Amino acid sequence: MKIDILSIFPEMFSGMLSESIIHKAIQKDIVNIQVTDFRRFAEGKHQVVDDYPYGGGAGMLLKAQPIFDAVEDVKQANIKPRIILMDPAGKPFNQKMAEEFAKEEQLIFICGHYEGYDERIREHLVTDEVSIGDYILTGGEIGAMAMTDSIVRLLPGALGNADSALFDSFSSGLLEHPHYTRPADFRGMKVPDVLLSGNHAKIEEWRNKESLRRTFLRRKDLLGTYHLSEKEEKWLLEIKEECEEGKR
């Protein structure tokens, strides 16, 4: 996969590219990530990338020309890239979207600053407008980093254990179950006996039920779109009864 990030602050990405899973994926040629300062595509002596909005108003807008030219420069031949505009008005980013983007050959992120973008960028250039949450950041760089991390870890070979991404929270539609490691007894706090039993069928059942329990307790909204099996419906009733019993 090829990922291009357009930003007027490219140095912000140096840490992300030189550490952890992303760095390893780059070393293994799983992904090629390039950060481009789109200011160098701006016309004129001073390479200005923003201007006042027509009709007046507060703040400055990113001009269309530098961004259009930068996108045209980084686009790979014979590939139709997904061009992602980081914007608080975009669709909320989620795991399903990360899985969709991970199948693409090229992604181009546009990181904005100032008050916003010339509307022609939205209408005639980008394929996706995405937000990482209902809050405002100084620019799109942090959002692009978060999305890049989420997408790269899904690429084949990026994680040491190929099954890790399959069991992440949200990948199955539910939150991930609790995890424990050694020692089995830490300051009187013990690992559930089932995890020490060696009975893999029982362990898998415990994990699935606890995944459902955690989702019910923390993110009931996810259950609205999740199709429960007969066994999961039975577990959910048990979980609800246990919760009611705990309130008494």
Side-chain angles (χ1 to χ4, degrees):
M1 170 182 275
K2 178 76 158 53
I3 297 178
D4 287 280
I5 302 171
L6 308 184
S7 167
I8 54 174
F9 298 105
E11 61 278 4
M12 289 182 66
F13 295 87
S14 58
M16 180 194 78
L17 298 177
S18 60
E19 301 289 344
S20 193
I21 297 298
I22 291 179
H23 179 61
K24 292 178 182 177
I26 293 171
Q27 287 185 317
K28 292 191 285 187
D29 292 327
I30 293 169
V31 64
N32 178 6
I33 303 177
Q34 300 294 327
V35 184
T36 299
D37 184 350
F38 63 81
R39 186 183 298 278
R40 66 186 179 87
F41 292 90
E43 297 174 343
K45 178 181 178 181
H46 300 290
Q47 295 185 302
V48 176
V49 296
D50 61 318
D51 208 340
Y52 295 101
Y54 281 119
M60 306 285 279
L61 298 178
L62 284 174
K63 298 166 66 175
Q65 176 271 316
I67 293 178
F68 268 78
D69 286 358
V71 168
E72 289 166 4
D73 183 76
V74 301
K75 279 175 66 174
Q76 290 188 296
N78 304 317
I79 290 177
K80 187 175 182 181
R82 296 286 284 272
I83 303 172
I84 303 163
L85 189 72
M86 302 306 305
D87 189 81
K91 292 182 180 179
F93 183 64
N94 56 30
Q95 187 67 17
K96 184 178 179 180
M97 199 180 293
E99 292 167 1
E100 178 185 334
F101 285 139
K103 298 174 183 177
E104 298 291 334
E105 292 184 79
Q106 184 182 18
L107 302 175
I108 300 174
F109 288 92
I110 302 173
C111 303
H113 270 267
Y114 311 114
E115 186 65 23
Y117 307 91
D118 185 300
E119 190 66 16
R120 288 164 290 192
I121 296 170
R122 299 180 196 275
E123 292 179 347
H124 302 288
L125 185 62
V126 306
T127 60
D128 303 88
E129 296 178 45
V130 183
S131 168
I132 62 165
D134 294 337
Y135 46 85
I136 305 301
L137 297 171
T138 305
E141 285 77 12
I142 293 174
M145 290 182 203
M147 288 184 62
T148 298
D149 184 274
S150 180
I151 293 164
V152 169
R153 68 190 311 280
L154 295 173
L155 300 178
L159 297 180
N161 186 334
D163 291 333
S164 294
L166 298 177
F167 299 104
D168 284 340
S169 292
F170 308 111
S171 291
S172 68
L174 301 177
L175 298 183
E176 196 171 11
H177 57 78
H179 294 275
Y180 298 87
T181 189
R182 291 180 289 185
D185 186 336
F186 174 67
R187 297 182 181 179
M189 297 175 281
K190 297 182 179 181
V191 172
D193 290 338
V194 65
L195 298 180
L196 307 176
S197 68
N199 187 325
H200 295 293
K202 288 289 185 182
I203 291 172
E204 187 65 20
E205 185 174 277
W206 179 88
R207 286 174 171 170
N208 291 339
K209 184 175 180 179
E210 292 307 305
S211 176
L212 183 61
R213 183 192 306 276
R214 178 165 283 183
T215 305
F216 173 74
L217 294 175
R218 300 185 183 185
R219 290 290 304 274
K220 286 188 179 72
D221 57 298
L222 295 176
L223 295 176
T225 56
Y226 181 78
H227 178 69
L228 293 168
S229 66
E230 288 186 19
K231 181 176 284 188
E232 287 171 327
E233 288 179 354
K234 180 182 177 182
W235 287 342
L236 186 56
L237 286 175
E238 293 174 0
I239 291 166
K240 289 179 178 178
E241 290 173 0
E242 290 166 7
C243 290
E244 287 299 319
E245 190 69 29
K247 292 179 182 178
R248 295 173 189 171

